Amino acid sequence: MTHTAPKEITGLSQKPTTDSLFKRCRNLSQPMQLMARRTMSVVSQWSSRIFSVELDGAESYFAIQETRKGDVLPEAFRRANRDRFYSVLVSCSDRLRQVKFHADLEEKLLKALPAGCAVDPMSSFLPGTRGSLIRGYFLKASSEDPSFSDRLLRDLIKDDPVLVCSYVKCEDGGTWTQNLWPDAHSEMIKTFYVVHSEAPKVHPSTLNIINSDVFYSFEEAREVLKESSDIIPEAASVLELLPSRAGPRGRPDFPVIVIEGLDATGKTTLTESLKGALGAALLRSPPQCLSPFRERFDQEPPLIRRAFYALGNYITADQVSQEASKGPVIVDRFWHSTAAYAIATAVGGPVCNLPDEGSELYRWPSDLLEPTLVVLLTLDPEERKRRLRDRGLIKTEEEQKLDHNQLFRLKVEQAYRRIVGPVCVTVDASPSADQVLREVQLLIKTKCHL
Ligand SMILES: Nc1ncnc2c1ncn2[C@@H]1O[C@H](COP(=O)(O)OP(=O)(O)OP(=O)(O)O)[C@@H](O)[C@H]1O
Ligand SMILES: Nc1ccn([C@H]2C[C@H](O)[C@@H](COP(=O)(O)O)O2)c(=O)n1
């Protein structure tokens, strides 16, 4: 089968040596050098990458090849009746700049692109390689003015940490080429043929979870806040509230019981009752002292938001240690919530995309106090919705959103159950508040001898 290379790439494939690229890097400012080095390291393994485009919530994968072998068109290229696509992937050695830029990119693209363009989330990764996932968007250009998108992306690539590719249909229509554009630091342009790729065995988002979504040590989470303090003044205030290091993990004198569950499963009701019934101290994570900063961190990308919640657990752990030398302690949410919500958010799609049971992603942080018992309250979704409505915090239009989020809630609940470390017991929270209290008291008696 014959294929004519698309015009824009003909004659541009002079590839400079790695050495000449490094030399060029040395003439750049330090942040630019870092950016260039990161780009080079990503580009050096470009042809081994798999690309994933999210279309209507489902992922379509494609690989790239230097020579044309077979023409199974990836889903992303089959659907729309367009003749041009682009990908914009964010890659930068400064992780804060990377996540902040990515967080703003979709809006930036949608604002700038002409009407009729579509922007879908996409990512690229090296199968099985931890930390290799980079995220961005797949653009379907408007056929009315294709040169507009070209110009926009050429401007973007000049100063911003992005790798841009255009996708052009081969003249015989059988397949498409991916053309990796040169950026500000290189003259490389590479052309590949796109081919369908099967879904990887493990969902690609799991490759970047460690220290991006879930933090397994105090130091790793604190480092993110330290890096953020230049751009987020509140981060400096949170750093001041932190203990100097993770507290000792020795067994507390009195039992520490954590109550976990989705919102409106009855945690507040139960923890208040347990406090009275057991004469226990009641603590929560995030702790009260972080309340003034929570709203601010909830607006940040996952890297920063999750580091904030992770650190909240260490502050609570310190308070727990002190209280547990005097009597039993009840804790409203702790590390299970931090990890389960983070994993469920990071992993798109259905429950089967979650890391398998036994995955290292569900391990308890080695430097965090282990509770004696974790009680996970579960509730039928309809009853939970009824309780939310009765509580007055739900409006009719929000119910639709809740239904839509049902998949997310299923993932949170599964992730909760898969976390290993302290003993975690599931309790059905649908009986009356008194009955739930009695059941949990019995559990505490059996497991904590209290
Ligand atoms: N066992 C129960 N039976 C019926 N209603 C209950 C029960 N437990 C709690 N509720 C009611 O359900 C609503 C949610 O309960 P609660 O605030 O304790 O949940 P929560 O898990 O702490 O929620 P959130 O995480 O959103 O703070 C409240 O109106 C509460 O009175
Ligand atoms: N220890 C914690 C407590 C809470 N979170 C996050 C997870 C959810 O996004 C949200 C739920 O809290 P609520 O609205 O019920 O107060 O907060 C966490 O990550 N870690």
Side-chain angles (χ1 to χ4, degrees):
M1 238 182 270
T2 53
H3 159 62
T4 315
K7 284 192 185 61
E8 67 163 2
I9 54 166
T10 309
L12 278 175
S13 297
Q14 317 107 321
K15 191 171 126 194
T17 62
T18 310
D19 191 48
S20 69
L21 288 167
F22 268 106
K23 274 192 198 129
R24 203 170 307 153
C25 273
R26 278 188 220 114
N27 295 330
L28 300 169
S29 64
Q30 209 190 10
M32 292 297 261
Q33 277 188 35
L34 282 171
M35 201 160 115
R37 275 170 207 273
R38 166 76 179 167
T39 305
M40 272 187 281
S41 91
V42 171
V43 168
S44 67
Q45 297 187 75
W46 192 253
S47 60
S48 308
R49 288 190 159 266
I50 303 289
F51 300 82
S52 160
V53 180
E54 201 183 306
L55 301 164
D56 304 327
E59 273 133 346
S60 148
Y61 295 92
F62 67 90
I64 50 173
Q65 293 176 343
E66 295 194 12
T67 52
R68 188 169 175 176
K69 288 182 235 145
D71 277 349
V72 182
L73 255 193
E75 181 71 18
F77 298 87
R78 250 183 261 160
R79 287 197 170 190
N81 185 24
R82 318 252 175 165
D83 55 5
R84 211 165 173 81
F85 296 95
Y86 300 89
S87 57
V88 182
L89 288 159
V90 186
S91 173
C92 178
S93 41
D94 178 342
R95 58 181 171 170
L96 283 184
R97 185 171 178 217
Q98 177 161 313
V99 298
K100 288 290 243 179
F101 187 80
H102 178 256
D104 296 336
L105 182 59
E106 184 177 16
E107 206 186 317
K108 193 170 174 159
L109 290 171
L110 284 171
K111 254 192 199 158
L113 287 166
C117 290
V119 177
D120 292 302
M122 86 171 284
S123 64
S124 164
F125 58 96
L126 294 167
T129 306
R130 195 187 274 177
S132 66
L133 187 88
I134 51 177
R135 294 180 198 275
Y137 294 95
F138 191 67
L139 317 184
K140 295 167 198 161
S142 149
S143 47
E144 282 154 33
D145 184 8
S147 63
F148 185 91
S149 314
D150 252 63
R151 276 199 307 277
L152 175 86
L153 297 175
R154 283 189 202 289
D155 284 345
L156 193 71
I157 210 168
K158 271 189 216 145
D159 305 312
D160 292 319
V162 288
L163 288 156
V164 175
C165 297
S166 53
Y167 298 81
V168 181
K169 200 192 274 185
C170 294
E171 277 183 3
D172 62 18
T175 192
W176 291 68
T177 55
Q178 181 201 62
N179 310 298
L180 173 60
W181 290 9
D183 66 8
H185 325 292
S186 75
E187 287 161 10
M188 281 183 287
I189 182 157
K190 284 212 125 204
T191 302
F192 303 89
Y193 293 94
V194 303
V195 285
H196 169 79
S197 177
E198 292 302 322
K201 282 198 186 74
V202 285
H203 193 264
S205 54
T206 61
L207 295 172
N208 279 34
I209 281 183
I210 298 177
N211 295 335
S212 290
D213 297 287
V214 185
F215 296 87
Y216 297 86
S217 79
F218 174 71
E219 283 307 331
E220 292 290 357
R222 183 166 65 171
E223 194 49 41
V224 174
L225 255 69
K226 277 190 194 163
E227 289 170 32
S228 320
S229 51
D230 285 346
I231 48 169
I232 308 171
E234 290 83 351
S237 311
V238 172
L239 285 168
E240 280 172 23
L241 296 168
L242 295 180
S244 53
R245 58 191 172 83
R249 284 193 67 223
R251 188 174 265 273
D253 296 337
F254 285 88
V256 176
I257 300 127
V258 172
I259 308 297
E260 290 282 9
L262 290 167
D263 43 329
T265 45
K267 296 181 298 300
T268 309
T269 310
L270 177 66
T271 51
E272 292 287 353
S273 305
L274 284 172
K275 177 186 172 185
L278 303 174
L282 173 57
L283 296 168
R284 57 181 45 85
S285 177
Q288 207 68 51
C289 62
L290 292 188
S291 300
F293 312 109
R294 196 170 172 186
E295 207 182 315
R296 176 69 173 85
F297 282 92
D298 276 342
Q299 293 162 20
E300 292 299 328
L303 173 74
I304 303 166
R305 184 165 81 245
R306 301 302 176 195
F308 168 80
Y309 281 103
L311 292 169
N313 292 326
Y314 287 93
I315 298 179
T316 299
D318 244 27
Q319 299 171 345
V320 168
S321 288
Q322 286 170 27
E323 292 297 332
S325 64
K326 298 180 257 171
V329 183
I330 306 296
V331 191
D332 188 341
R333 289 198 193 269
F334 197 48
W335 195 77
H336 272 74
S337 281
T338 313
Y341 278 82
I343 292 172
T345 309
V347 179
V351 177
C352 64
N353 283 352
L354 284 176
D356 286 338
E357 223 164 333
S359 156
E360 57 170 347
L361 299 175
Y362 299 116
R363 72 180 189 272
W364 191 265
S366 57
D367 60 356
L368 184 64
L369 176 135
E370 267 192 36
T372 326
L373 173 67
V374 178
V375 175
L376 172 61
L377 299 180
T378 59
L379 203 53
D380 162 74
E382 285 308 310
E383 169 62 10
R384 208 174 60 81
K385 227 156 52 174
R386 195 185 60 74
R387 288 188 192 177
L388 280 168
R389 206 182 301 122
D390 290 352
R391 193 165 66 170
L393 294 180
I394 180 172
K395 299 183 198 82
T396 326
E397 72 266 24
E398 281 178 331
E399 284 181 10
Q400 271 179 357
K401 223 162 132 193
L402 272 175
D403 283 338
H404 180 72
N405 285 343
Q406 191 50 28
L407 201 58
F408 169 70
R409 295 180 190 287
L410 282 174
K411 283 190 286 186
V412 176
E413 222 170 76
Q414 266 311 314
Y416 265 134
R417 293 172 198 266
R418 292 181 190 182
I419 290 168
V420 290
V423 180
C424 179
V425 182
T426 302
V427 168
D428 174 17
S430 42
S432 73
D434 278 352
Q435 275 175 283
V436 175
L437 172 65
R438 273 199 298 279
E439 173 155 3
V440 173
Q441 276 183 292
L442 195 64
L443 201 58
I444 293 172
K445 206 168 167 187
T446 323
K447 303 273 181 197
C448 310
H449 314 290
L450 200 70

